[in-house]
Amino acid sequence: MLISEMNRAHDRIKPYIHRTPVLTSESLNKLTSAKLYFKSENFQKSGSFKIRGATNAVLQLSAKSLKGDIVTVSSGNHGAALSMAVSKRNGSTIVVMPKNTSKIKINNVIRNGGRIVWCDPSNQSRERALTKLKTMGDVEVIHPYDNKHIILGQSTIGKEFIEDIPNLDAIVVPVSGGGLLSGVLSYVKKINPSIKIFGAEPSEADDTFRSIQSGKIETNITTNTVCDGLRAQIGSITFPIIQELVDGIIVVSENDIIKSLKLILNRLKIIVEPSCSIALAAVISNKSNFKNQNIGIVLTGGNIDLNQLPW
C-alpha cells in the first residue's frame, strides 16, 4: 500500500474520528524496564479502533450501494463501528454475530443502528450466514479486516503513533484477522523500517503465529480465549502483508492476558478489553527483548462487559 493512499485515508476520516491520546505510566515502566507508550483507542468513537477502517470504507460507498443493506460479520467492535459509519450516511447495516457475543457489544451494535443476525461461534457458521444474506437481496459486504479500505483506515493508527512519539523502538499490536497489524506495518515500515513491530496473539487462537511458521494460512485449532476480539482467522489479504513485514508474533497465555488486564485497570485507571491487554502481556512476558527501549502499545478498545470480567 502506498503512503499517499494511507495519507488520503487519514485526511478522509479525520472529521469522523478522535485522534486518541498516548498515555504513559511510570510504574509500568519500572515493571517492564522499558518506556511504554499506550495508544489509547479505547477512547475512540464506538469504543474501538474499528471506526477508522469502517469509516474509510463507508465514505467510499456509492449512493446506490447505500440504498441496500451494508452487511458484515463481527464479534462486536467492527459491527458497532460499521453501524455508526453507515448510519451517518443514512444507510442500514446487518451484522452477523456469534451467539456468545458479550452483551455490551450486542448493545453497542444496536445503539449505533445495526441489525443482528445470529450465528454459531465458528468461522464456518459465520460464513454460511453471510452467504445466505448475499442471496436474499441487494447487499454490500464490508469484511471486518480482509478489505483494502479497512486496512488503509487502520493504518492511520501507525501514522498518528509515530507522529506523536517519533522515537519508538518497537510497537506491539494485537492480531486476530490482521487488519490492524497489516495497516500499522504498511505505514510504519515505509516511514521508519528500523521500528520493530510485533503482533500479540492468544495461545488459544494462534493461527497467525503458526501461519508465519509454516508459510501458509493455518486455521485456528481453538478459539477458547478471553480475548473475544481475537478469535478470527487471519485473512488472505492481511497475511501476506504480515508475513513480509512483521518482526515476530508473540503468543501469550490466558493467565498473562488476565494479569495484564488487571494491571491496566489498576495502574492506568482506564477501561480496556482483554483483546488489547494482550499487548502489554506480550511485553511483560518478554522483558529482556524490550529492556531499555521505547515501546508503543496499541490499546485497541474498551468495550468490556463489567458484569462478566474474566476473573
Side-chain angles (χ1 to χ4, degrees):
M1 295 185 186
L2 301 175
I3 285 292
S4 59
E5 291 180 295
M6 292 182 273
N7 286 336
R8 282 197 298 272
H10 199 208
D11 290 340
R12 186 180 298 118
I13 69 175
K14 273 180 184 177
Y16 305 96
I17 66 166
H18 296 311
R19 187 177 181 112
T20 51
V22 177
L23 305 181
T24 59
S25 166
E26 284 298 322
S27 66
L28 291 177
N29 288 350
K30 290 178 182 177
L31 177 67
T32 57
S33 300
K35 289 187 177 179
L36 306 183
Y37 298 89
F38 296 88
K39 178 66 169 165
S40 301
E41 289 290 294
N42 54 309
F43 296 134
Q44 187 56 265
K45 292 185 179 181
S46 80
S48 84
F49 76 96
K50 292 284 191 175
I51 194 64
R52 295 173 181 266
T55 299
N56 189 51
V58 169
L59 287 176
Q60 294 174 85
L61 291 176
S62 67
K64 181 181 179 181
S65 294
L66 285 162
K67 288 181 179 178
D69 291 313
I70 310 303
V71 175
T72 195
V73 296
S74 174
S75 59
N77 285 342
H78 172 71
L82 188 68
S83 298
M84 176 182 281
V86 171
S87 294
K88 286 181 178 178
R89 291 197 63 190
N90 299 313
S92 62
T93 309
I94 300 176
V95 184
V96 176
M97 296 183 73
K99 296 173 183 176
N100 64 345
T101 301
S102 68
K103 191 167 181 62
I104 188 172
K105 292 187 177 181
I106 293 168
N107 291 341
N108 208 11
V109 169
I110 295 169
R111 185 172 63 252
N112 284 294
R115 290 177 288 148
I116 297 172
V117 170
W118 299 109
C119 67
D120 293 328
S122 70
N123 287 324
Q124 296 86 348
S125 180
R126 285 189 193 188
E127 291 305 315
R128 283 196 299 269
L130 184 60
T131 300
K132 185 176 180 181
L133 285 171
K134 289 178 185 177
T135 65
M136 292 177 65
D138 186 17
V139 301
E140 178 87 21
V141 177
I142 296 182
H143 197 276
Y145 51 86
D146 230 21
N147 176 300
K148 182 178 179 180
H149 298 311
I150 293 288
I151 297 169
L152 286 169
Q154 318 308 24
S155 76
T156 63
I157 291 178
K159 180 176 185 291
E160 291 181 4
F161 215 162
I162 62 174
E163 285 175 352
D164 291 345
I165 314 293
N167 61 334
L168 290 174
D169 296 300
I171 301 174
V172 184
V173 183
V175 59
S176 180
L180 174 59
L181 180 56
S182 58
V184 172
L185 283 165
S186 295
Y187 191 88
V188 174
K189 287 295 187 179
K190 283 185 173 65
I191 297 297
N192 187 349
S194 68
I195 297 176
K196 292 185 176 180
I197 300 179
F198 299 92
E201 189 170 47
S203 59
E204 293 292 326
D206 65 346
D207 58 303
T208 306
F209 174 76
R210 289 182 293 104
S211 298
I212 294 292
Q213 284 191 316
S214 69
K216 60 185 177 65
I217 292 177
E218 303 285 350
T219 58
N220 271 316
I221 297 170
T222 174
T223 56
N224 185 29
T225 175
V226 295
C227 301
D228 59 342
L230 303 183
R231 295 170 180 164
Q233 181 68 49
I234 193 71
S236 59
I237 297 174
T238 58
F239 175 62
I241 299 170
I242 294 168
Q243 183 182 33
E244 178 188 357
L245 298 174
V246 80
D247 290 285
I249 303 294
I250 300 170
V251 177
V252 185
S253 71
E254 294 295 293
N255 189 46
D256 286 346
I257 293 166
I258 292 169
K259 284 181 180 177
S260 289
L261 178 59
K262 289 180 178 180
L263 276 172
I264 292 171
L265 296 177
N266 286 325
R267 306 278 182 99
L268 287 177
K269 311 299 183 187
I270 59 174
I271 295 175
V272 297
E273 302 174 35
S275 298
C276 58
S277 68
I278 191 174
L280 175 60
V283 174
I284 293 173
S285 61
N286 293 271
K287 287 182 186 178
S288 59
N289 292 337
F290 297 105
K291 187 175 181 179
N292 299 324
Q293 296 180 47
N294 297 317
I295 310 300
I297 291 176
V298 181
L299 297 178
T300 49
N303 294 317
I304 185 172
D305 192 338
L306 296 177
N307 294 314
Q308 292 186 326
L309 294 172
W311 55 75

